[in-house]
Amino acid sequence: MELKKRTVELANFNCVFGDENEPLLAHFSDVFYPAITSGYDIKYNGNHYIFDNINIFNHHTLGYVLTGLFIKQTELEILSQKDPISGKLISTNKSIPSAPFSIFVLLLRNHRLLFFKNQNGSPRTTTLKTICEKMISRYLRKVNLGVNYNSKLPAAHITIIPLPSHSSLKEQFKNLKQINSIVYKITPLNGDDNFKSEMTDLLNQVNKLKARDGSWKINKPEDKDKVIEQIEDTRDLALATVRGTAHNGNPIILTPDNYSEKVLVKLPVESSQESIIESMYNIATENSALLETSETNKNIYSKSQDMIQSLMR
């Protein structure tokens, strides 16, 4: 049986609703879940995106989880290929329908996300954010039509923050001769409150002003170890982009994708969705960052369990 190496990305799926930044579970049953199970086909950047096989399961360790397929419907354009007889490059004009997919597991008690890309060309977490927001907006246009303003269901604001990997951060920072700047993008949170960072003061200002997000820029920090520590401490709070200079003088930009936590898995090429999800469960139960749940999130989850159970098929 042929095995193929793939990666599972780990992130924080931060979804809040309306001006009051209500948490995901506050509008899970009336907005989020019906939107992503609506069957809507969303066109974006020339491709079509849909969700399929959306399910809620009660895992013995992880609690209630939301799982599903995230599918990109596209066409592969072939304008040239090698002639199998002559070996020469020939022009052609073909297109082949393709549907690369990703699989997600969302832990509802702490909104941690595990994201599995099945192949090259599978949709990414950045696209997941965009399509979720577009699908929710389309759903709200329908259900809010003709509804009194004060009774309308609220819009969603989603940020997916990759969990930083300490080893990846250390490795990436070895390439930096100098850090020129760090920019933290701060976004309203979904029930997280167990932060070591003093950056929470900035978050409080973002919330006080009812802003969608804010940013904080630090110029030319010299202590790389402290920078790494700060990025790790703010893993649920902010997206950090680091700009610097390499030892050869070239500019370097590090985004969360460069240092995010990724777990390598070996699976049969034709693995079922169920077996892939099971491997993702195994990763989650062995990773302390995915099990960590704030007191606020524990309370929100506890009050929402009956609602979640009512949606199970």
Side-chain angles (χ1 to χ4, degrees):
M1 183 181 297
E2 183 184 356
L3 298 178
K4 184 176 180 181
K5 294 181 181 179
R6 282 113 151 191
T7 57
V8 176
E9 300 174 34
L10 312 182
N12 184 34
F13 187 89
N14 187 25
C15 176
V16 295
F17 290 91
D19 294 336
E20 301 302 320
N21 296 323
E22 296 176 273
L24 171 65
L25 292 181
H27 289 285
F28 187 77
S29 63
D30 60 359
V31 179
F32 189 86
Y33 188 76
I36 67 169
T37 57
S38 62
Y40 289 151
D41 180 322
I42 302 296
K43 186 175 181 180
Y44 176 66
N45 283 350
N47 301 306
H48 290 262
Y49 293 88
I50 59 171
F51 290 109
D52 198 11
N53 289 355
I54 302 292
N55 289 290
I56 298 173
F57 298 105
N58 190 2
H59 188 270
H60 56 86
T61 302
L62 305 172
Y64 289 109
V65 299
L66 180 73
T67 70
L69 288 173
F70 180 38
I71 304 169
K72 177 173 73 174
Q73 299 176 99
T74 186
E75 289 195 351
L76 302 178
E77 189 178 41
I78 304 173
L79 298 179
S80 62
Q81 63 186 72
K82 292 191 75 173
D83 186 279
I85 299 175
S86 68
K88 293 183 178 180
L89 190 68
I90 58 174
S91 296
T92 184
N93 187 10
K94 302 177 183 177
S95 61
I96 302 174
S98 179
F101 66 88
S102 296
I103 295 175
F104 65 86
V105 173
L106 179 61
L107 313 186
L108 295 181
R109 71 180 182 188
N110 60 6
H111 50 87
R112 291 288 196 257
L113 176 72
L114 295 93
F115 194 78
F116 172 93
K117 291 190 293 185
N118 187 59
Q119 65 177 80
N120 291 334
S122 290
R124 305 171 63 185
T125 55
T126 50
T127 312
L128 176 67
K129 162 199 154 51
T130 301
I131 299 303
C132 280
E133 288 185 335
K134 286 181 176 293
M135 201 165 281
I136 289 170
S137 294
R138 184 169 170 182
Y139 175 76
L140 290 176
R141 284 197 299 272
K142 174 185 175 183
V143 298
N144 282 337
L145 187 65
V147 176
N148 180 276
Y149 178 81
N150 292 327
S151 300
K152 289 180 184 291
L153 292 171
H157 178 65
I158 297 172
T159 308
I160 298 178
I161 304 177
L163 297 185
S165 161
H166 182 77
S167 58
S168 293
L169 279 167
K170 294 285 283 187
E171 193 62 32
Q172 293 287 347
F173 273 54
K174 285 180 183 177
N175 301 321
L176 286 170
K177 179 180 180 181
Q178 174 182 289
I179 301 174
N180 297 327
S181 68
I182 312 167
V183 175
Y184 290 97
K185 182 181 177 182
I186 303 161
T187 183
L189 300 180
N190 181 9
D192 295 298
D193 55 17
N194 51 342
F195 299 113
K196 304 173 186 176
S197 174
E198 295 179 356
M199 208 180 298
T200 50
D201 291 338
L202 291 172
L203 174 63
N204 291 334
Q205 293 301 313
V206 170
N207 291 333
K208 182 178 179 180
L209 297 173
K210 295 187 176 181
R212 268 288 159 235
D213 51 50
S215 62
W216 182 38
K217 184 177 181 180
I218 304 172
N219 293 316
K220 296 191 182 301
E222 296 182 359
D223 193 327
K224 292 182 182 179
D225 289 335
K226 288 294 184 183
V227 170
I228 290 174
E229 182 180 325
Q230 187 176 70
I231 291 173
E232 292 178 324
D233 286 349
T234 59
R235 67 185 182 196
D236 294 323
L237 176 61
L239 292 161
T241 300
V242 180
R243 286 177 167 80
T245 305
H247 294 284
N248 62 5
N250 289 336
I252 291 181
I253 300 177
L254 301 179
T255 67
D257 283 341
N258 300 122
Y259 54 77
S260 62
E261 186 78 56
K262 298 180 177 71
V263 179
L264 186 67
V265 292
K266 290 183 179 180
L267 294 169
V269 173
E270 297 182 356
S271 294
S272 66
Q273 180 182 357
E274 291 75 18
S275 63
I276 293 170
I277 289 174
E278 191 62 39
S279 71
M280 296 166 80
Y281 288 160
N282 293 337
I283 291 170
T285 57
E286 296 172 2
N287 190 299
S288 60
L290 293 176
L291 298 175
E292 192 175 86
T293 308
S294 71
E295 287 303 316
T296 302
N297 272 320
K298 286 179 183 178
N299 291 332
I300 294 169
Y301 176 72
S302 177
K303 294 175 183 177
S304 304
Q305 291 191 54
D306 289 344
M307 173 272 293
I308 297 170
Q309 189 174 26
S310 72
L311 298 173
M312 295 177 68
R313 299 172 181 175

